[in-house]
Amino acid sequence: QVQLVESGGGLVQAGGSLRLSCAASGRTATPFDMVGWFRQAPGKERTFVARFISSNSGTHYADSVKGRFTISRDGDKNTVYLQMNSLKPEDTAVYYCNAGTGGINYWGQGTQVTVSS
């Protein structure tokens, strides 16, 4: 079985920074070819934030976070990070780690990020 666990969320003032981590455990039939971050505010849809494609080291970001957030991974590829700088109140949400392989997506439990102003 596969499990994703997020950590690093918290309360921060506008303009501050946080670094989220996503640790993956377990094994799948094929390696993960996509790892990304989504977020969801209460009463709103879950939206894409950033993704990292391990097969080609490609990255992609939502326009709302481009230039402020950076996705990265460790050398063993079992931990993915989201560095969030210049945080804004509109970044407040539960952030979810997502990993995909063979068309199957796995999700973490989420970590709360709250930005005050």
Side-chain angles (χ1 to χ4, degrees):
Q1 55 184 320
V2 174
Q3 185 177 16
L4 305 177
V5 179
E6 303 95 336
S7 62
L11 175 64
V12 65
Q13 192 173 11
S17 299
L18 285 173
R19 190 192 193 197
L20 306 183
S21 299
C22 173
S25 62
R27 294 184 179 182
T28 58
T30 57
F32 291 121
D33 57 4
M34 192 282 291
V35 177
W37 291 90
F38 290 71
R39 65 187 181 186
Q40 185 173 23
K44 297 184 178 180
E45 295 183 353
R46 188 173 299 183
T47 59
F48 166 78
V49 175
R51 67 172 180 170
F52 183 89
I53 304 174
S54 60
S55 61
N56 61 7
S57 299
T59 59
H60 181 245
Y61 300 91
D63 289 341
S64 60
V65 306
K66 192 174 299 182
R68 301 187 297 119
F69 291 10
T70 303
I71 188 171
S72 61
R73 62 175 175 83
D74 65 10
D76 200 33
K77 298 183 179 181
N78 63 342
T79 304
V80 177
Y81 307 95
L82 184 68
Q83 178 67 46
M84 305 184 294
N85 298 326
S86 302
L87 284 163
K88 305 175 181 179
E90 48 264 46
D91 295 319
T92 295
V94 176
Y95 284 70
Y96 296 91
C97 180
N98 169 243
T101 180
I104 304 298
N105 289 323
Y106 300 89
W107 295 90
Q109 292 293 100
T111 183
Q112 177 71 50
V113 172
T114 303
V115 184
S116 63
S117 64

